[in-house]
Amino acid sequence: MAETAPAAAAPPAKAPKKKSAAKAKKAGPAVGDLIVKAVSASKERSGVSLAALKKALAASGYDVEKNNSRIKLAIKSLVTKGTLLQVKGTGASGSFKLNKQQTETKKKPATQ
């Protein structure tokens, strides 16, 4: 009888861990979407620098200092996908602009 009591006490201890592991995702657009909007809103011919991107994200209410690594990862992934073109620099630094060829190919299947 003494062995069944500790076994019954163990499952409730595991339940709070499951709740803390499943955090609710914050509502709002993804970082990649915000970056694409900021680049598309820019009128610069030579593209938008990383610093200018961060300023634009901060102006739209995004916490740049807290999510600096997320911004860099999002930029790198957008470059590898082909959504952004890296005009200058390497990695997440340098200047970026939208890839016109990929945006055109996306629009053509949508119109058919």
Side-chain angles (χ1 to χ4, degrees):
M1 282 193 200
E3 294 175 10
T4 56
K14 291 181 182 177
K17 291 180 184 177
K18 289 181 182 178
K19 288 181 182 177
S20 64
K23 291 184 179 179
K25 190 174 179 181
K26 290 187 177 181
V31 184
D33 296 339
L34 292 172
I35 291 171
V36 170
K37 285 180 185 176
V39 173
S40 63
S42 172
K43 303 294 181 191
E44 289 293 322
R45 233 183 115 229
S46 60
V48 183
S49 67
L50 180 65
L53 260 176
K54 287 182 180 179
K55 284 182 184 178
L57 290 174
S60 66
Y62 190 75
D63 192 359
V64 175
E65 290 181 18
K66 183 180 175 186
N67 299 315
N68 193 26
S69 61
R70 289 181 193 228
I71 293 170
K72 289 181 181 178
L73 284 172
I75 289 173
K76 286 181 186 178
S77 68
L78 288 170
V79 170
T80 55
K81 285 180 190 174
T83 307
L84 289 181
L85 281 177
Q86 190 161 15
V87 184
K88 296 179 186 175
T90 58
S93 63
S95 295
F96 306 92
K97 60 183 181 180
L98 286 177
N99 188 356
K100 291 182 181 178
Q101 293 175 347
Q102 189 179 19
T103 55
E104 288 173 4
T105 56
K106 281 187 174 180
K107 288 180 182 176
K108 286 179 182 176
T111 55
Q112 289 179 349

